[in-house]
Amino acid sequence: MSASNVGCDRSKNLVDICGEKNFQAFVCDALSVPIRSGSCDACISIAVIHHFSTAERRLATIRELARLLRPGGMALIYVWAMEQEYKNQKSKYLKEKNGSKDKEEEISTVVAQTPLSDQMPDSSKDSACSDQLLNDSKDKGCDAEPVADSRLPVHTNRTSFHSQDLLVPWHLKGGPKKKGESADTVLFPADSKESQELSPVFHRYYHVFCEGELEAACRSLDCVRVQKSYYDQGNWCVVLEKL
């Protein structure tokens, strides 16, 4: 029986782009993937889990990923790191800083007006597991500052993070479709070259992970084994094996 590859994403526009490129993909929620348990040889989760707003949901996403794997199956997870400078080396994200200083200062003074409590589910169900994961990251010396006034800070692009929970500004690419181009919208970082002539700005939620936080979450599941944990260009990464 030949192997097949299939992808999924919450965004219908991104899934449509996959279809235009003759890749198999479908729309779904990472917390509930409509694929039979134990049917995958390997799974990849890149830049997904850091968009979930509670430790409970982030852990549930990893558990769902593990559910899809057959025994012995492998999973690769990438999340954005709090530490954008690690072992005296700046990440590619920091090195590619190209926005004007004035513009960055303008963005950094903005604070999202949506209360944090409105963006996050009821935390009463966040069990001792969630608290323990948070405490583990604190014990490891994470320098994240608490969010003031229950509001999420807006990050200044291409700079170090000062909070684990934040909003990152992105420009929406729009305009007339050129021949051969997709009509779907695409997001670019607010300071990127592609965004210079664009005006609409959207803010995406991120929880950036401190060193050891992703690995601790994975190790809390008894159905997987952590095969490898490493840092790669501003991301924390883990390779899992299904037991």
PDB file of all heavy atoms in Angstrom, residues 24 47 53 64 71 96 99 112 147 154 161 180 211 216-217 235:
ATOM      1  N   GLN A  24      -2.935  17.564  -1.234  1.00  0.00           N
ATOM      2  CA  GLN A  24      -4.141  17.194  -0.515  1.00  0.00           C
ATOM      3  C   GLN A  24      -4.164  17.896   0.840  1.00  0.00           C
ATOM      4  O   GLN A  24      -3.227  17.777   1.621  1.00  0.00           O
ATOM      5  CB  GLN A  24      -4.191  15.683  -0.298  1.00  0.00           C
ATOM      6  CG  GLN A  24      -4.309  14.860  -1.569  1.00  0.00           C
ATOM      7  CD  GLN A  24      -4.511  13.398  -1.275  1.00  0.00           C
ATOM      8  OE1 GLN A  24      -5.481  13.008  -0.625  1.00  0.00           O
ATOM      9  NE2 GLN A  24      -3.582  12.568  -1.731  1.00  0.00           N
ATOM     10  N   ALA A  47       4.566  25.862  13.825  1.00  0.00           N
ATOM     11  CA  ALA A  47       3.987  27.185  14.111  1.00  0.00           C
ATOM     12  C   ALA A  47       2.477  27.137  14.306  1.00  0.00           C
ATOM     13  O   ALA A  47       1.746  27.981  13.792  1.00  0.00           O
ATOM     14  CB  ALA A  47       4.350  28.170  13.000  1.00  0.00           C
ATOM     15  N   SER A  53      -4.261  29.750  23.514  1.00  0.00           N
ATOM     16  CA  SER A  53      -4.110  30.740  24.575  1.00  0.00           C
ATOM     17  C   SER A  53      -3.964  30.193  25.987  1.00  0.00           C
ATOM     18  O   SER A  53      -3.704  30.958  26.912  1.00  0.00           O
ATOM     19  CB  SER A  53      -5.299  31.712  24.546  1.00  0.00           C
ATOM     20  OG  SER A  53      -6.516  31.016  24.780  1.00  0.00           O
ATOM     21  N   GLU A  64      -3.683  15.421  20.856  1.00  0.00           N
ATOM     22  CA  GLU A  64      -4.398  15.093  19.619  1.00  0.00           C
ATOM     23  C   GLU A  64      -3.415  14.658  18.531  1.00  0.00           C
ATOM     24  O   GLU A  64      -3.689  13.727  17.759  1.00  0.00           O
ATOM     25  CB  GLU A  64      -5.214  16.303  19.158  1.00  0.00           C
ATOM     26  CG  GLU A  64      -5.972  16.119  17.848  1.00  0.00           C
ATOM     27  CD  GLU A  64      -7.128  15.133  17.951  1.00  0.00           C
ATOM     28  OE1 GLU A  64      -7.298  14.521  19.029  1.00  0.00           O
ATOM     29  OE2 GLU A  64      -7.849  14.965  16.950  1.00  0.00           O
ATOM     30  N   PRO A  71       1.698   3.264  16.882  1.00  0.00           N
ATOM     31  CA  PRO A  71       2.817   2.974  17.780  1.00  0.00           C
ATOM     32  C   PRO A  71       4.140   2.988  17.011  1.00  0.00           C
ATOM     33  O   PRO A  71       4.259   2.376  15.952  1.00  0.00           O
ATOM     34  CB  PRO A  71       2.488   1.576  18.306  1.00  0.00           C
ATOM     35  CG  PRO A  71       0.995   1.508  18.246  1.00  0.00           C
ATOM     36  CD  PRO A  71       0.621   2.256  17.009  1.00  0.00           C
ATOM     37  N   GLU A  96      16.842  39.843  10.566  1.00  0.00           N
ATOM     38  CA  GLU A  96      16.171  40.389   9.391  1.00  0.00           C
ATOM     39  C   GLU A  96      15.423  41.674   9.688  1.00  0.00           C
ATOM     40  O   GLU A  96      14.556  42.098   8.941  1.00  0.00           O
ATOM     41  CB  GLU A  96      15.203  39.361   8.804  1.00  0.00           C
ATOM     42  CG  GLU A  96      15.907  38.189   8.155  1.00  0.00           C
ATOM     43  CD  GLU A  96      14.940  37.231   7.498  1.00  0.00           C
ATOM     44  OE1 GLU A  96      13.722  37.397   7.716  1.00  0.00           O
ATOM     45  OE2 GLU A  96      15.389  36.338   6.781  1.00  0.00           O
ATOM     46  N   GLY A  99      12.619  47.313   9.446  1.00  0.00           N
ATOM     47  CA  GLY A  99      11.666  48.409   9.541  1.00  0.00           C
ATOM     48  C   GLY A  99      12.318  49.644  10.120  1.00  0.00           C
ATOM     49  O   GLY A  99      13.373  49.593  10.731  1.00  0.00           O
ATOM     50  N   ALA A 112      -3.226  46.325  22.939  1.00  0.00           N
ATOM     51  CA  ALA A 112      -4.506  45.783  22.484  1.00  0.00           C
ATOM     52  C   ALA A 112      -5.594  46.111  23.495  1.00  0.00           C
ATOM     53  O   ALA A 112      -5.396  45.980  24.694  1.00  0.00           O
ATOM     54  CB  ALA A 112      -4.390  44.266  22.322  1.00  0.00           C
ATOM     55  N   VAL A 147       1.473  40.248  31.985  1.00  0.00           N
ATOM     56  CA  VAL A 147       0.695  41.203  31.198  1.00  0.00           C
ATOM     57  C   VAL A 147      -0.031  42.148  32.138  1.00  0.00           C
ATOM     58  O   VAL A 147      -0.762  41.716  33.023  1.00  0.00           O
ATOM     59  CB  VAL A 147      -0.321  40.464  30.293  1.00  0.00           C
ATOM     60  CG1 VAL A 147      -1.191  41.458  29.553  1.00  0.00           C
ATOM     61  CG2 VAL A 147       0.421  39.565  29.320  1.00  0.00           C
ATOM     62  N   VAL A 154       1.165  44.580  22.312  1.00  0.00           N
ATOM     63  CA  VAL A 154       1.428  44.398  20.888  1.00  0.00           C
ATOM     64  C   VAL A 154       2.934  44.408  20.674  1.00  0.00           C
ATOM     65  O   VAL A 154       3.623  45.349  21.063  1.00  0.00           O
ATOM     66  CB  VAL A 154       0.761  45.499  20.047  1.00  0.00           C
ATOM     67  CG1 VAL A 154       1.138  45.352  18.571  1.00  0.00           C
ATOM     68  CG2 VAL A 154      -0.760  45.435  20.204  1.00  0.00           C
ATOM     69  N   PHE A 161      11.295  39.421  22.585  1.00  0.00           N
ATOM     70  CA  PHE A 161      10.009  39.358  23.271  1.00  0.00           C
ATOM     71  C   PHE A 161      10.167  39.767  24.733  1.00  0.00           C
ATOM     72  O   PHE A 161      11.159  39.441  25.376  1.00  0.00           O
ATOM     73  CB  PHE A 161       9.436  37.943  23.198  1.00  0.00           C
ATOM     74  CG  PHE A 161       9.102  37.495  21.802  1.00  0.00           C
ATOM     75  CD1 PHE A 161       9.770  36.431  21.219  1.00  0.00           C
ATOM     76  CD2 PHE A 161       8.117  38.137  21.073  1.00  0.00           C
ATOM     77  CE1 PHE A 161       9.472  36.012  19.925  1.00  0.00           C
ATOM     78  CE2 PHE A 161       7.808  37.732  19.781  1.00  0.00           C
ATOM     79  CZ  PHE A 161       8.481  36.668  19.211  1.00  0.00           C
ATOM     80  N   GLY A 180      -1.892  34.478 -13.103  1.00  0.00           N
ATOM     81  CA  GLY A 180      -1.206  33.328 -12.526  1.00  0.00           C
ATOM     82  C   GLY A 180      -1.128  33.347 -11.020  1.00  0.00           C
ATOM     83  O   GLY A 180      -0.656  32.403 -10.409  1.00  0.00           O
ATOM     84  N   GLU A 211      12.439  28.160  27.280  1.00  0.00           N
ATOM     85  CA  GLU A 211      13.244  26.943  27.203  1.00  0.00           C
ATOM     86  C   GLU A 211      12.689  25.887  28.148  1.00  0.00           C
ATOM     87  O   GLU A 211      12.427  26.145  29.318  1.00  0.00           O
ATOM     88  CB  GLU A 211      14.694  27.248  27.558  1.00  0.00           C
ATOM     89  CG  GLU A 211      15.605  26.035  27.481  1.00  0.00           C
ATOM     90  CD  GLU A 211      17.068  26.374  27.716  1.00  0.00           C
ATOM     91  OE1 GLU A 211      17.360  27.536  28.076  1.00  0.00           O
ATOM     92  OE2 GLU A 211      17.911  25.477  27.526  1.00  0.00           O
ATOM     93  N   ALA A 216       8.528  19.930  28.509  1.00  0.00           N
ATOM     94  CA  ALA A 216       7.821  19.551  29.733  1.00  0.00           C
ATOM     95  C   ALA A 216       6.379  19.155  29.433  1.00  0.00           C
ATOM     96  O   ALA A 216       5.856  18.193  30.002  1.00  0.00           O
ATOM     97  CB  ALA A 216       7.857  20.706  30.733  1.00  0.00           C
ATOM     98  N   ALA A 217       5.745  19.887  28.518  1.00  0.00           N
ATOM     99  CA  ALA A 217       4.372  19.560  28.140  1.00  0.00           C
ATOM    100  C   ALA A 217       4.314  18.181  27.485  1.00  0.00           C
ATOM    101  O   ALA A 217       3.426  17.372  27.787  1.00  0.00           O
ATOM    102  CB  ALA A 217       3.827  20.628  27.196  1.00  0.00           C
ATOM    103  N   ASN A 235      13.127  29.061  17.408  1.00  0.00           N
ATOM    104  CA  ASN A 235      12.034  28.130  17.685  1.00  0.00           C
ATOM    105  C   ASN A 235      12.499  27.034  18.638  1.00  0.00           C
ATOM    106  O   ASN A 235      13.648  26.596  18.575  1.00  0.00           O
ATOM    107  CB  ASN A 235      11.542  27.455  16.397  1.00  0.00           C
ATOM    108  CG  ASN A 235      11.028  28.449  15.388  1.00  0.00           C
ATOM    109  OD1 ASN A 235       9.903  28.946  15.504  1.00  0.00           O
ATOM    110  ND2 ASN A 235      11.850  28.767  14.405  1.00  0.00           N
TER     111      ASN A 235
END
